[in-house]
Amino acid sequence: MSGSFSLQDFLAAEASLYGQIPRGLARWDARLKVALTTLAVLSNVLWPSATLSIWLWFAAWLGLALSRVPWRQAALVIFPPLWEKLLVIIGFGWGFGNTPLAHWGPLTFYREGLTMGLTAGLRVLAEMSWMAALILTTAFTDILAALRWFKIPAIVVDLLAAMYRYVFLLFDEYQTMRAAARARGGYQNYRTSMATLGQILAQIFMRALERAERVDQAMRVRGRDALTIPSSENPRA
């Protein structure tokens, strides 16, 4: 599968989450889901085993199925990062092992190396499945509240809340500039599309810096630390 989980997909996921009757994992407390996800990831890292990764993957997908999460949204979260693991699998298969399994031109792939690479790929698949189960069944504000309950440093939670707040503003600016560029013929072919996208991303980056400086100055003149956001505020307000 190509592509990635875009902000539009994230908004669609949250819209479906709020618009449906809670089912499955969506009915669980966010603190419990954060704890289970953390435990699953840590166990997958500390005790690398293909069998454990398969069971963790199965448990996560079972939770997604019981929660009635649309399969497209789950797939867009879980599968795109796996293309990077494909390179890791090829690298392991080519560089490690003693038992030749296949030849591709001057490259020789070994059974032991491919086994190591596939095990690593399963671990990533299991961890991404648990992250999808958490993200797609829990409102982001509930995740922030759970992180505060677990005594995660306030600066980390507040930065996540600020990012969540301002990413929507930047996305709106991107949509406006993209529509303007399309009207001016900026997406006629692949080459011009890439050049236009680069220019838009550069402008978004500069506007993000300018907005950050303005927000920092506005908060400081009001006697507040720019990185301190009261927990009672809604991050999307």
Side-chain angles (χ1 to χ4, degrees):
M1 176 174 293
S2 61
S4 60
F5 190 64
S6 67
L7 185 57
Q8 286 179 318
D9 297 313
F10 181 74
L11 292 174
E14 284 212 333
S16 63
L17 178 62
Y18 284 114
Q20 294 180 358
I21 299 175
R23 297 184 178 89
L25 296 178
R27 302 177 63 180
W28 291 20
D29 189 280
R31 294 170 294 182
L32 176 59
K33 287 185 282 187
V34 169
L36 288 177
T37 301
T38 303
L39 179 62
V41 172
L42 286 177
S43 63
N44 201 37
V45 171
L46 297 178
W47 296 285
S49 167
T51 302
L52 176 61
S53 297
I54 291 174
W55 277 108
L56 290 174
W57 171 83
F58 176 77
W61 274 96
L62 179 61
L64 289 168
L66 294 176
S67 304
R68 305 287 181 88
V69 173
W71 294 110
R72 179 180 179 274
Q73 293 176 357
L76 286 173
V77 174
I78 296 170
F79 291 114
L82 293 182
W83 73 268
E84 300 173 358
K85 274 302 174 184
L86 179 61
L87 300 179
V88 174
I89 293 173
I90 294 175
F92 271 104
W94 176 40
F96 299 92
N98 299 310
T99 307
L101 185 64
H103 299 276
W104 186 30
L107 303 181
T108 300
F109 295 95
Y110 299 93
R111 183 186 304 275
E112 296 83 358
L114 287 176
T115 300
M116 293 171 58
L118 289 173
T119 301
L122 282 174
R123 291 167 63 186
V124 174
L125 180 63
E127 293 169 9
M128 291 302 301
S129 298
W130 274 86
M131 293 301 298
L134 173 64
I135 294 172
L136 297 178
T137 64
T138 315
F140 193 75
T141 50
D142 293 338
I143 295 177
L144 294 178
L147 294 178
R148 292 191 181 100
W149 189 86
F150 282 113
K151 306 302 181 182
I152 300 298
I155 188 173
V156 176
V157 180
D158 291 343
L159 281 174
L160 289 174
M163 291 168 58
Y164 182 68
R165 164 66 178 88
Y166 286 103
V167 70
F168 296 96
L169 297 178
L170 295 176
F171 181 69
D172 289 340
E173 293 184 1
Y174 164 77
Q175 291 283 67
T176 301
M177 287 188 285
R178 183 172 180 271
R182 185 180 297 277
R184 292 175 172 82
Y187 288 89
Q188 293 181 351
N189 52 54
Y190 179 80
R191 182 175 180 179
T192 59
S193 297
M194 291 298 99
T196 301
L197 179 61
Q199 295 174 1
I200 291 177
L201 293 179
Q203 288 295 322
I204 290 292
F205 180 75
M206 296 303 298
R207 293 191 182 188
L209 289 179
E210 294 174 358
R211 187 181 296 275
E213 292 177 354
R214 293 198 303 269
V215 172
D216 177 74
Q217 293 174 0
M219 297 181 74
R220 290 185 185 280
V221 297
R222 290 170 174 81
R224 298 168 60 186
D225 187 346
L227 295 179
T228 300
I229 301 176
S231 58
S232 60
E233 291 187 5
N234 186 342
R236 288 192 64 176

